[in-house]
Amino acid sequence: MKIVILTGAGISAESGVPTFRASDGLWEGHRVEEVATPEGFERNPGLVHDFYNMRRAQLSHVEPNPAHRALARLEEHIGENLTLITQNVDDLHERGGSKRVLHMHGSLLSALCNSCGERFRWLGKMSLTSKCPFCKAIGLERPDIVWFGEMPYYLGEIEAALIDCDVFVSIGTSGMVNPAASFVQIAHNCGAHTIEINPYPTQNAHHFAEQIQGPAGSEVPRWVETVLAKE
Ligand code: OAD
């Protein structure tokens, strides 16, 4: 059985990483246009660096939760029959034990050089004086995050997996950002069973054949156990 899983901010919520769409419409006090668009970065790169430096630093204060670990267990058992796609830029899937994670929206632990286009691991603070280890350009680094208006990573690989899967599961995502929001329809049109795991109904809920209502931390391990019991 081939399974594709898409995760969003909700899977990391119980680890203490805030989700994106808080009730005030702000991301940790900032408007989306300020901190998640190329234009916002051009206008105020210092503010954008500070925002992502803070979020990168937060990673050392959070731990994977049972949902991340359960998905790693699933990978251990079914290997390449699992495609794990995340919209999250944290590293909790990896720290939970997952080996192959498609970070379609980039990663807090990666930098992108605006001069030579290289992407490379970045663990500390990023600033207007950071130097690219490849082309040595100074001040042209940016967080390797896919901002609004930019093309997500791995889309070819993701599309191939969606077309080919038997089950598609969406965990902890509001389904408000494309193209990830449309993955359920591709999988459904190609014959997959579709499941949504979320404590609250989403605007995408009607596209799913099955709803599991509840927090990822308890519902994902439970679902994984049912899958493994059938293997
Ligand atoms: P959102 O903040 O839009 O949605 C989080 C979802 O998690 C909501 O549907 C919540 O109901 C759900 N949720 C909350 N607690 C949960 C829990 N304990 N267990 C399971 N689900 C829970 O986050 P995303 O859908 O991930 O892009 O947002 C998508 C993209 O929007 C992000 O990747 C980000 C932003 O633009 C970039 O940074 C490029």
Side-chain angles (χ1 to χ4, degrees):
M1 182 165 66
K2 292 190 175 164
I3 302 176
V4 174
I5 293 179
L6 170 70
T7 67
I11 197 167
S12 297
E14 288 157 84
S15 294
V17 182
T19 58
F20 289 98
R21 290 175 178 78
S23 52
D24 58 4
L26 299 177
W27 291 359
E28 300 185 33
H30 293 280
R31 286 182 306 116
V32 169
E33 304 78 43
E34 270 182 301
V35 292
T37 62
E39 294 78 20
F41 183 59
E42 235 167 72
R43 257 193 310 272
N44 196 343
L47 174 109
V48 175
H49 278 314
D50 287 348
F51 178 77
Y52 289 100
N53 284 339
M54 214 174 67
R55 298 188 59 205
R56 193 176 303 109
Q58 276 170 359
L59 291 184
S60 55
H61 302 291
V62 296
E63 294 294 329
N65 67 53
H68 298 104
R69 293 203 188 89
L71 296 184
R73 201 156 60 246
L74 182 61
E75 184 188 34
E76 251 171 51
H77 282 82
I78 71 168
E80 304 221 327
N81 284 332
L82 172 67
T83 301
L84 176 57
I85 308 161
T86 189
Q87 298 167 90
N88 298 343
V89 294
D90 64 51
D91 62 344
L92 292 176
H93 280 304
E94 285 85 352
R95 283 201 271 144
S98 289
K99 304 264 185 307
R100 290 181 311 109
V101 187
L102 301 179
H103 279 272
M104 64 177 290
H105 287 168
S107 161
L108 280 171
L109 300 180
S110 175
L112 168 65
C113 177
N114 260 340
S115 174
C116 67
E118 284 288 344
R119 301 169 67 198
F120 42 92
R121 197 160 166 79
W122 195 269
L123 304 179
K125 281 192 175 174
M126 205 178 286
S127 76
L128 296 172
T129 56
S130 299
K131 188 171 175 183
C132 171
F134 290 88
C135 71
K136 313 293 180 210
I138 291 176
L140 289 172
E141 260 179 302
R142 53 163 277 185
D144 188 10
I145 308 278
V146 176
W147 287 326
F148 283 94
E150 297 181 325
M151 186 71 89
Y153 294 123
Y154 307 113
L155 287 183
E157 208 172 319
I158 290 171
E159 192 187 13
L162 288 170
I163 289 172
D164 199 30
C165 73
D166 304 296
V167 179
F168 171 77
V169 191
S170 171
I171 303 169
T173 173
S174 59
M176 289 175 68
V177 174
N178 270 316
S182 66
F183 291 172
V184 57
Q185 284 148 290
I186 301 174
H188 169 79
N189 291 342
C190 295
H193 178 59
T194 55
I195 306 173
E196 181 170 63
I197 303 180
N198 200 306
Y200 311 105
T202 66
Q203 66 169 28
N204 240 358
H206 60 286
H207 289 303
F208 289 86
E210 184 181 343
Q211 290 287 332
I212 299 178
Q213 217 172 68
S218 50
E219 297 306 327
V220 173
R222 210 194 317 270
W223 173 76
V224 166
E225 287 317 312
T226 63
V227 174
L228 293 182
K230 287 186 212 146
E231 279 293 306

